[in-house]
Amino acid sequence: MTKRVVWGALFGALAMMATGCGDECVDQFDCREKGTAPEGQTWSCNADNKCELRNLTPEPEVDAGTEVDAGTQVDAGTDAGTEMDAGTDAGTQVDAGADAGTEMDAGTDAGMNVAKGGACTASSDCMAGLRCEAATCQSLLIAVTGNDGGTRALVTAYDVPGMTSLSSDGGTSAYPRFGPGGTQVAFVQGDVTAATAELAVRPVPLTAAAPTVLTTGGGARIRYMEWEPGNLIAWVRGSTGISTIAATGGTATQATANGTFPDWAPNGTDYAYSAAGTGILVSTGGGVPTPLAGSPTTGEQPHYNRVTSQLLFLANPDNMTVTFGTDVTPVLRLYSLPVTGGGTPTLLADRTSDAVTGGSVDSYIANPNWAPDGSWVAYVRAYYLNIAGAATLCGNTGAELCGDKPGNAIFLQRVNTTTGAAEGAPVLLANNATLPSFSPDGLFVAYVLGGQLNVQPIEPTTGAAAGPLITHPKDTYTVLTSEGDDHRPRWQPRQ
């Protein structure tokens, strides 16, 4: 029920904003009626769904062994109306084809001083956003699910627009997930909404070889798949529990009889998940999962980070609900709780309510994600107008009383790595954006805005924007968001 409304009401309502009658285009092909562009320029569909002239740039240099498609993606599931990044001055977005120039010196003091293309022996030698591959510092990859008339699992260098489909022979695929060390990527191919879909893997850098199929859904759709940092791939069998399989193949194992949202611990063996009416459960050392002490029965969407013992999750302990049309959803809050021993949950982001004429402008929390070291958490705050129990997402027709509140906004919250408690005020990262995802070095946040993949460098001590926003224009693909965390951008591990 929660998934349907957070991803249905929230993103469905945003889709109405992004594809309304005022839109001029959804991709570059809708701009053909503009005629031939002047020499050195091309027509492009921008994040506001308007046709604009964009300067052509030389094809980016591609590191040996990496295939790059000339497209990028857009999602009609988020509001394209505001491409704003809080803390970043207008005009700092990076044009398609340009190297973003973000081999920043953010980690120089820690020894991360080798620029892109330079020689390295380990990823710790390389500047932020880079990893050591084939003895050379190369851009980290990001994996997303997009649509170009068909659903595609896609990968792209975080700083150079141009996405590569993982599908074999142009087939349908979705839910790409990197393996440990970033040397493989798993995804679902075939009819990704059916029980006949296949779980497949490909090596990274991508080669021309066909994907290796590990298993099929076994009578149920493959959902909520997670892989690194361990050697097992986990997924949800439709709505009938969690299965796992070794990345080398073999027989799939049924890990649980129910539950969803599996997430692997840093050791790659322990895992957490949520089950309706039970809350958060944890399996330690391959043992039988047990409820996490102190976690509410409404707990869901658990997330480990890679350093601290704190587990992140959403919950609705007072069973407050809101109705969007005919959909009833819990008003979720964000918590942390020690995964070892449990205890009393610590509130990180609460619901809000501000009175307006005849009702209130309220908000709830969705799509949380840790920074790798547990020092920050990113989340989406969804704002809605609540009149006599009937809710309308802000930014939609009929929600004018919201004023300047966006339909949703991404915030970063500083977290004490020892106690799991919030420190200081939340920092606004982007309006009308969703599905935030920290890079493995914690110095970038990827998210989706207007169907485009955006990557924002951040200052790790303040959470503020720390450089130009890197925008992957929606020239070919629409980056999808409609299935919530299943569509969150995934970063390639740094090793």
Side-chain angles (χ1 to χ4, degrees), residues 220-385:
R221 182 182 176 186
I222 297 174
R223 299 292 308 278
Y224 313 117
M225 187 170 65
E226 297 296 344
W227 185 359
E228 64 95 18
N231 295 318
L232 291 177
I233 302 173
W235 71 93
V236 175
R237 302 182 306 275
S239 59
T240 59
I242 299 166
S243 288
T244 63
I245 193 171
T248 52
T251 302
T253 299
Q254 180 174 324
T256 72
N258 62 5
T260 188
F261 294 114
D263 197 62
W264 291 108
N267 62 14
T269 301
D270 301 347
Y271 61 91
Y273 66 99
S274 56
T278 303
I280 308 299
L281 296 96
V282 176
S283 170
T284 303
V288 175
T290 57
L292 178 59
S295 65
T297 57
T298 57
E300 62 174 79
Q301 302 182 49
H303 292 280
Y304 288 93
N305 62 69
R306 296 304 165 82
V307 176
T308 75
S309 65
Q310 299 294 329
L311 196 72
L312 190 70
F313 64 93
L314 296 169
N316 180 31
D318 53 1
N319 295 308
M320 183 176 179
T321 61
V322 61
T323 302
F324 291 88
T326 59
D327 288 324
V328 179
T329 186
V331 178
L332 295 169
R333 308 175 183 183
L334 181 62
Y335 296 87
S336 67
L337 184 64
V339 73
T340 302
T344 301
T346 298
L347 182 65
L348 292 178
D350 203 352
R351 65 174 184 254
T352 62
S353 183
D354 296 305
V356 295
T357 303
S360 58
V361 175
D362 302 336
S363 73
Y364 60 86
I365 309 301
N367 307 123
N369 190 239
W370 277 118
D373 65 356
S375 62
W376 289 92
V377 62
Y379 60 86
V380 173
R381 184 175 290 279
Y383 294 97
Y384 59 94
L385 178 65

Side-chain angles (χ1 to χ4, degrees), residues 16 37 39 50 103 151 206 211 239 244 249 268 280 285 373 380 391 407 414 447 458 475 482:
M16 292 169 59
E39 185 176 354
K50 303 296 183 183
E103 299 99 8
T151 304
L206 300 179
S239 59
T244 63
I280 308 299
D373 65 356
V380 173
R414 184 82 176 176
Y447 58 86
I458 63 168
D475 291 340
S482 57

